[in-house]
Amino acid sequence: EDVGEREAIVVDPMIATGHSAVAAVDRLKEAQPRSIRFVTLLAAAPGIRHFEESHSEVPVYAAAVDPEIDAAGFILPGMGDAGDRLFGTR
């Protein structure tokens, strides 16, 4: 109920293409928090650019930034698939 009085922090292990990060913040903005920040461990430069095109007012805090993504949207050099690493599916 009081999200408009709160600061929101979105946490995601990686930003590759930036599409899911944009969608998450799009959805969060519907609730109208006072402010939003995005925190990630690893981001690809193209994904950050895409995110900033949609949400230039939302700061992104990344522990590391890799320079590119491949044709499949994976971060290069990256660290592998975060979901696979978290849930042991590979």
Side-chain angles (χ1 to χ4, degrees):
E1 295 175 8
D2 62 349
V3 73
E5 300 170 15
R6 296 181 180 270
E7 297 181 18
I9 300 172
V10 179
V11 180
D12 194 350
M14 293 190 283
I15 297 176
T17 63
H19 295 290
S20 59
V22 167
V25 172
D26 284 344
R27 177 69 185 222
L28 183 58
K29 280 185 173 180
E30 293 173 8
Q32 300 179 333
R34 183 172 56 190
S35 68
I36 302 172
R37 295 178 185 149
F38 199 100
V39 178
T40 186
L41 294 175
L42 177 63
I48 292 174
R49 283 193 297 274
H50 176 71
F51 182 85
E52 289 176 341
E53 289 170 2
S54 297
H55 300 295
S56 61
E57 76 288 355
V58 176
V60 175
Y61 300 91
V65 177
D66 280 348
E68 60 187 331
I69 55 176
D70 66 15
F74 290 102
I75 300 172
L76 295 175
M79 63 178 192
D81 185 275
D84 289 341
R85 289 187 176 279
L86 288 170
F87 301 109
T89 52
R90 281 205 178 162

